Structures are given as structure tokens and as C-alpha cells.
Amino acid sequence: MTTTTEAPASQPIADMEADSLIGTFPEGQRLVGSQCNTCGCTMIGSRVVCSSCISRDVSRVALPSTGVLYSFTRIHVGTAGIRPLGYVDLDNGVRTLADIREGDVPLRPDMRVELGIDDDDWFFTPAAGEKRED
């Protein structure tokens, strides 16, 4: 007599609940984040599972609208022109890759930036009070 044992098959889990990262909160429109109620990890996006401890006990939170530009680059996109991209460290420590819109102030690492929302697009711009360094 032979017996067969099979390992239980794991179920695939969609990591994100929604595609949009913009949500409406009492503070106004903000980037949507998730906070794990088990380990405290905060992540960008509306998550189903914690990316740190894999707990399913996560809550939707509003992420800060300000941060610091960690690093950036400018991508030359054919006829569309130049598209600045940068890593932004939000004030709660979450790092995100984001479009950066340059204004009168040249971009530099460690400059304060703030969230901008234009319809469904979101981006960061130099924060008010950032000055040109000449």
C-alpha cells in the first residue's frame, strides 16, 4: 500500500488593492499608504499584505505630503522632452520614486519637496521657501 502526501498549495495574493496612489483624507488629497498593525511598517499604496512581516492586518493611512529629495535624474524622452524622476524620502521615512517638476529652483539632493496633484497625476516640486543656490 502506498500513500501520497501533497503539500498544500499556496494561494497567490495580489499585493495592491488599487492602482491609484491618490486618495482623499480629512487632510485633503494625499498619497495612499498602508501601515501594518503587527510590525508597524509603513508602505506606499493600499496594500493587502505587509511587505515586511507578511501580516494581513494592515490599515489605510495618508502619507505625508512633504519630504526630502534623496536623488534624481533627468530622462530624455524623444519628442516629449525631459522627464525628471527622483527618490523622495517622505517625512515618515517611506521612500518613493516620483516624477519631479522643476520650477525656478534647480533640483539638488537634500532639498525639501512637496506633493503636487494634477488630476490623476502626482509629482513632487521644490517646497515653498527653497531658494536658488548661486
Side-chain angles (χ1 to χ4, degrees):
M1 177 175 181
T2 60
T3 59
T4 303
T5 57
E6 294 182 18
S10 61
Q11 296 291 321
I13 299 170
D15 188 22
M16 302 283 283
E17 280 188 329
D19 290 336
S20 177
L21 293 178
I22 300 298
T24 302
F25 296 90
E27 306 93 339
Q29 284 193 308
R30 292 282 188 90
L31 289 175
V32 174
S34 298
Q35 186 163 37
C36 179
N37 297 318
T38 302
C39 71
C41 178
T42 304
M43 305 148 276
I44 190 165
S46 184
R47 305 282 180 144
V48 177
V49 176
C50 174
S51 62
S52 179
C53 72
I54 314 176
S55 169
R56 289 184 181 215
D57 186 14
V58 292
S59 300
R60 183 178 187 251
V61 295
L63 294 177
S65 61
T66 56
V68 174
L69 183 61
Y70 174 76
S71 177
F72 69 95
T73 189
R74 292 181 180 93
I75 300 172
H76 296 262
V77 185
T79 57
I82 298 172
R83 179 182 177 190
L85 289 174
Y87 279 108
V88 174
D89 291 337
L90 300 177
D91 288 342
N92 66 349
V94 172
R95 179 174 287 169
T96 185
L97 181 65
D99 284 320
I100 308 294
R101 291 195 182 171
E102 298 180 272
D104 296 337
V105 181
L107 299 178
R108 61 176 164 70
D110 292 332
M111 76 184 316
R112 297 284 304 163
V113 292
E114 58 192 10
L115 178 68
I117 298 173
D118 188 8
D119 293 325
D120 290 335
D121 294 332
W122 60 275
F123 53 87
F124 282 88
T125 61
E130 284 289 333
K131 296 179 182 171
R132 173 181 288 275
E133 289 183 359
D134 291 327

